[in-house]
Every structure is written in C-alpha cells, then in structure tokens.
Amino acid sequence: MHSRRWPGRRLAAIALIIVAGLAVAGYRTDRVDLPILGERPGYGPASVSPVPNLAAIDRLIWVPDLDDGWDPQGLTVAARNLFVSAYRSRQLGESRGPCRMFRIDAATGRLLDHIDIPAPCGHAGGLAYAGGATLYLADTHTLFQYDWTAPVPKFRVIPLGRGVRGAFAASGRGDVWLGTYERGRPGRILQFRTVVLDALADAAPLDADMAVRELPIPSYAQGAAVDSSGKLWISRSGIAWGWLDRLDPRTGAVEKRYPTAGGIEGIAFDEAGRLWGVSETGVRHIPLRYPFFPLIFRIDPARLVPDG
C-alpha cells in the first residue's frame, strides 16, 4: 500500500462501512473455515475476517514474520515455491524500510528461508519470475535481478530510468511487467523482454522506450499477473477493500471485475492456472482490528463471482 495517513479510528470506521456495504451489495462474505497454514502471529483477533469471493479461495497461509513488522507487497510463484517481498514498518504512515524476500512452500505453508534485499530497496513493491532461476524485485526506482538457486546471494541492480516506476511487477514467459500506482486516476504498465534486461550494461538505466508494450491500467493498482491465455489481471486495493480486474491485453479495457480481499497486493498464476495473492490488511503497524486478513491465498479463477 502506498498511503496510510488517516487516523486509526477513522480507518476502522471506514473498514466497517465498506465490509458492510459489500455484504449489502450481495457479495459473499462467509466465515473463514479453511485451515490456515504457516505460523500465526502473536497479535490480532481470534479469527481472520470474512472476505468477498471466499468460495473461490482454497488455500490460506499466514504471511511470515508478522510479529516483526513485515508488510507484504510483491508475490510470485516458481514451481512449489512462493516468493513474497516485504518491507518492515514500525508505525502507521511509514511505507519504507528494510526489505526482505521470503520463500515459502506452497503446499505446506512452511517458511523455507528468507533473504534481505540490499539498499536502495525501501518498499519491495513487486516480484516477477520469467523462467529459469532468475527473480526480479521491483522497488520504486530500482529493479533487482536475483538468482534464487545460487548458493551465495548476489543481486544485480538496474536503475529505473525515464518513464519507468516499479510500484509492482508481473511475470511473463521471457517478460517482466512493471506498473505504476496512481490514486484516483489511471496508471500504466510496461512490458519488457528479459533479453533486453540481460543486455543492459552495469548501472545503465531501464527506460520506457525499451518496452515492447505499454497499457493503461486502473487506479489503485497494487499488483499484476498474466494468465495462460494472455489476459492481464490487476489487483487493486485500499486497506479495507480489494478488486481483481481482468483486462483486454490489447487495449487495457476492463473486461471483468471481481471483489476480493481488502489490502490485496501482489498476485501471480501458478502452473495449474490458480491465482495466488497476498494481503497486507492486518499487518502489525496498521492499528486495525477489523478487517484482519494478513494472508497469502490461492484462488480458483473459474469460481470467482464478478461485480454485478
């Protein structure tokens, strides 16, 4: 999330209003009865909050190290591995801090390991996997390239140049997408070939004119993913609301819109076509008791019920 300047009481009131509004509008907000894998944080209410389209969710995993203040942002999938990027925050309104990437077993929810991301990372807004052993982590003004199979961690740092911001990232076959977050107005997303990224000289910037495609995207975009048919999905959210927009990949027009968990951030498809997402609603530095859903979750897109 990119802005949290409202007082906690006002946020809590807005959260209650929005969740109640979803229920009135007919969106299912059933009680969460699925088991939650991973390690539960030591704070928060006894149960997580209900969310729209819960019937489409078939796996839940706690975000790692919530007690230590980590706030999840990016997510990608490589085989049985879930990768989640996060920054650590100690207080409301603090949206930059040390960055970390977690590797989680997608089947068991077990935290396998983590790696700290070097400076200048401060938000860790997006993750992308384009095949092989390379991960890409997008920060606001920097793209980090990382071989997750290497025995010794090593990052290549690519500055983001003219017309490029790394609010979030999306994976493609041989592609990395980088998008912008805009409040109340459309953003945009750029598609880059990994061969172009690999060919950049050390410290050379990645500019917008190196992209093979640019598309408009809706406001409040927090993550993106490309499905097996080539459709582009955008996750959009505030702390108490969330949407999944499926776009026409030629024009960027919204084809379908699905309500989902508030605070949804990074999203990614796995090899089976399931859509994974991560929510920051309920992380420790946000003083809200409701909603509370600091989870990684897996969605069956065929079971999503659209808006309207």
Side-chain angles (χ1 to χ4, degrees), residues 147-237:
D147 181 348
W148 65 274
T149 64
V152 179
K154 184 178 180 180
F155 289 88
R156 181 182 179 219
V157 177
I158 302 172
L160 298 182
R162 294 187 301 273
V164 186
R165 278 186 291 155
F168 59 88
S171 307
R173 290 188 178 275
D175 297 308
V176 172
W177 300 68
L178 299 175
T180 66
Y181 170 90
E182 300 288 351
R183 297 181 62 188
R185 63 180 183 179
R188 63 176 184 152
I189 192 167
L190 299 169
Q191 179 186 7
F192 296 94
R193 301 292 189 201
T194 54
V195 292
V196 171
L197 302 178
D198 293 340
L200 283 171
D202 289 345
L206 180 67
D207 295 329
D209 60 10
M210 300 175 183
V212 294
R213 182 163 29 165
E214 176 182 335
L215 287 173
I217 56 174
S219 59
Y220 300 97
Q222 305 279 12
V226 181
D227 67 20
S228 59
S229 70
K231 298 288 188 181
L232 181 65
W233 293 62
I234 300 292
S235 56
R236 306 171 58 231
S237 72

Side-chain angles (χ1 to χ4, degrees), residues 250-291:
R250 298 166 301 174
T251 66
V254 177
E255 295 180 336
K256 292 282 187 180
R257 177 165 287 167
Y258 306 93
T260 189
I264 187 171
E265 292 280 337
I267 55 174
F269 284 95
D270 62 21
E271 294 177 352
R274 301 295 179 99
L275 180 63
W276 291 84
V278 63
S279 170
E280 66 171 355
T281 289
V283 297
R284 188 155 200 171
H285 69 105
I286 300 175
L288 288 176
R289 302 312 253 179
Y290 187 83

